[in-house]
Amino acid sequence: MPVQSGTSRVVREVTVAEDRFAPGHLGELTQIVPFEMVDAALDETDTVQQRVRDLPSRVVVYLLLAGALFVECGYRQVWARLVAGLDGLPVAEPSAAGLAAARRRIRPAPLGKLFELLRGRPPARPPRACGGAAGWSPRSTAPRCAARTPRPT
């Protein structure tokens, strides 16, 4: 007779955007990359849509992120995977041309900013031990001086 294991229920509170494109609706990406972070990247790069669209800028960013994960699929297939969890909700069915136009509208800047936000603040560079252009060697953590130390003869 097989042994059954017990079950647990884990509940967590999540802040979500309102509407059909709320986190969780567009798959796991919205749980990993918070919509507030995507919105901040769009704001900082002035690429938020100017009018209400079927494909808001935030959604296009998630589409591009998913496209990087599903490189074997076309963007229409990626879109179908993103909205698969929106059962019963009205969802846009963009054409390949519509998806291409949305990608051009967003441009690379918000993705670059988003990756900066995800990466976090880069570590401060250590002070240069020798001053000038020498500094730190990329292959070691030890400082090196530009001036050579004379060898004893």
Side-chain angles (χ1 to χ4, degrees):
M1 177 177 253
V3 177
Q4 288 185 330
S5 61
T7 59
S8 301
R9 182 177 171 184
V10 177
V11 180
R12 69 178 184 154
E13 187 175 316
V14 178
T15 304
V16 298
E18 295 180 23
D19 75 10
R20 63 186 179 199
F21 295 124
H25 290 178
L26 291 178
E28 292 297 317
L29 278 177
T30 56
Q31 299 298 319
I32 297 167
V33 181
F35 73 91
E36 297 95 347
M37 195 175 281
V38 173
D39 288 348
L42 290 166
D43 284 339
E44 289 184 36
T45 57
D46 294 324
T47 49
V48 177
Q49 71 272 359
Q50 299 300 311
R51 60 185 175 91
V52 178
R53 298 177 180 269
D54 283 339
L55 295 176
S57 297
R58 177 193 304 157
V59 174
V60 177
V61 169
Y62 284 115
L63 174 71
L64 293 172
L65 292 173
L69 295 174
F70 298 108
V71 294
E72 72 281 358
C73 299
Y75 277 104
R76 286 189 47 106
Q77 292 170 316
V78 172
W79 176 254
R81 290 180 183 201
L82 275 177
V83 298
L86 296 173
D87 295 330
L89 294 173
V91 177
E93 293 184 28
S95 65
L99 291 170
R103 292 191 325 267
R104 281 191 303 273
R105 187 179 75 234
I106 293 300
R107 300 185 313 272
L111 289 176
K113 187 63 179 176
L114 181 62
F115 290 139
E116 280 181 28
L117 293 171
L118 286 168
R119 180 185 66 216
R121 177 172 277 179
R125 295 192 109 196
R128 294 179 182 220
C130 301
W136 290 83
S137 166
R139 293 188 181 147
S140 73
T141 57
R144 57 186 171 95
C145 290
R148 291 185 171 210
T149 306
R151 290 186 177 177
T153 55

